[in-house]
Amino acid sequence: DNNWEDVRYPMKAALKGFSYGPEFQRDAASGGFDCNMGNLPVLQILQNNDSTRAIATVGQSHAIARFVARRHGWMGTSLLDELKIDAVYECCRDIKSAWYRVKQKPNGKKQWFVATDNNNTTAVDDNDDDTLQRYCKKLEKVLLSTRLQKTSSFSSREWCLNTPDPTLADIAIYHLLGTPVSTVSGSTESFFGETELVIGKAYKADCPILTKCVQAVSELPAIKEWERKRPDTFT
């Protein structure tokens, strides 16, 4: 289903937060973002693709993500599947929240990307879990304990929960750890603002499920196409 449009508003950095252009101000003043307390993103669902006839306009990015995933069959085939997929999705959100907290600390970003091998665990305080590597190991354990039972109909790709098709959980993991191959600007940095070489050190040696998942999602034609064309702005 390709009947969708990604609408973004011009914005620029300001002394506090961001400064939005007249397009945003106009739509905000007309109540376009009231469903999300005056913020973005919002999802507008149209009747027969008619921009003048909206069935609903809703906000909150994670509610939108789940709705779109259900709409396109990316939440499994049962309520239990959906619960497990949602649990992995929330774990990825927890790791992002940890990153936002850590990077505010002095040397926090440097600490986050510390990666040690099995023979060298003294580079990080044993009581400090705030490294991407350790969070990845925790997420790997989540997947091991949450995976769905395999059946003979499963595809050759290795999705994170052993589902026959990719799910929102796979997309969440790729958004967390993946690095685009090609973009409009040429930037191939990850969510954390680092390259594949840096991010890969955090999970490729010790987390085979994460490694296979990131690789499988990166090979999806739709993902490649989106990364190649996606705008650099995030709103």
Side-chain angles (χ1 to χ4, degrees):
D1 187 353
N2 294 318
N3 294 324
W4 63 278
E5 182 181 4
D6 178 27
V7 178
R8 300 184 179 222
Y9 291 90
M11 58 188 292
K12 60 183 179 180
L15 291 177
K16 291 185 178 180
F18 298 95
S19 173
Y20 295 96
E23 299 90 346
F24 176 90
Q25 303 294 345
R26 178 198 64 218
D27 289 350
S30 66
F33 314 134
D34 286 355
C35 64
N36 199 21
M37 299 189 289
N39 299 312
L40 293 172
V42 297
L43 174 67
Q44 189 176 60
I45 303 170
L46 306 178
Q47 183 174 354
N48 298 324
N49 296 321
D50 184 348
S51 61
T52 65
R53 303 179 67 183
I55 298 174
T57 303
V58 296
Q60 294 296 332
S61 58
H62 300 293
I64 292 171
R66 292 181 176 98
F67 170 82
V68 172
R70 291 188 190 98
R71 169 70 175 78
H72 294 282
W74 288 55
M75 293 296 284
T77 59
S78 70
L79 284 174
L80 181 57
D81 288 0
E82 186 170 329
L83 175 62
K84 292 184 175 186
I85 291 164
D86 209 3
V88 174
Y89 181 82
E90 288 297 321
C91 286
C92 292
R93 288 185 63 195
D94 285 347
I95 296 174
K96 292 176 181 178
S97 296
W99 160 243
Y100 290 133
R101 182 183 69 251
V102 170
K103 71 177 183 177
Q104 302 302 320
K105 300 179 181 179
N107 298 318
K109 186 173 181 179
K110 181 179 179 181
Q111 170 193 320
W112 182 256
F113 294 114
V114 168
T116 60
D117 59 37
N118 293 330
N119 297 318
N120 177 21
T121 58
T122 60
V124 182
D125 186 335
D126 286 340
N127 294 318
D128 193 348
D129 284 332
D130 284 335
T131 69
L132 179 59
Q133 184 183 53
R134 290 188 175 177
Y135 275 109
C136 285
K137 288 181 179 179
K138 290 180 178 181
L139 184 56
E140 183 83 0
K141 289 181 179 179
V142 170
L143 297 175
L144 283 169
S145 64
T146 310
R147 302 187 95 188
L148 309 178
Q149 184 177 357
K150 278 190 173 182
T151 70
S152 58
S153 62
F154 278 57
S155 67
S156 59
R157 285 196 176 102
E158 187 74 10
W159 307 119
C160 70
L161 291 176
N162 272 343
T163 51
D165 298 299
T167 70
L168 181 60
D170 298 287
I171 299 301
I173 288 171
Y174 183 73
H175 187 262
L176 185 74
L177 300 173
T179 50
V181 174
S182 174
T183 62
V184 172
S185 67
S187 171
T188 56
E189 291 185 345
S190 69
F191 169 82
F192 300 107
E194 284 291 350
T195 63
E196 181 181 8
L197 179 63
V198 174
I199 302 301
K201 290 179 179 179
Y203 71 93
K204 288 187 176 180
D206 301 303
C207 306
I209 300 175
L210 288 177
T211 300
K212 292 177 181 179
C213 171
V214 170
Q215 181 63 32
V217 174
S218 74
E219 293 172 352
L220 291 172
I223 293 294
K224 289 182 178 181
E225 181 70 4
W226 165 246
E227 289 181 340
R228 187 177 68 83
K229 293 182 177 180
R230 70 178 184 180
D232 289 327
T233 55
F234 61 90
T235 55

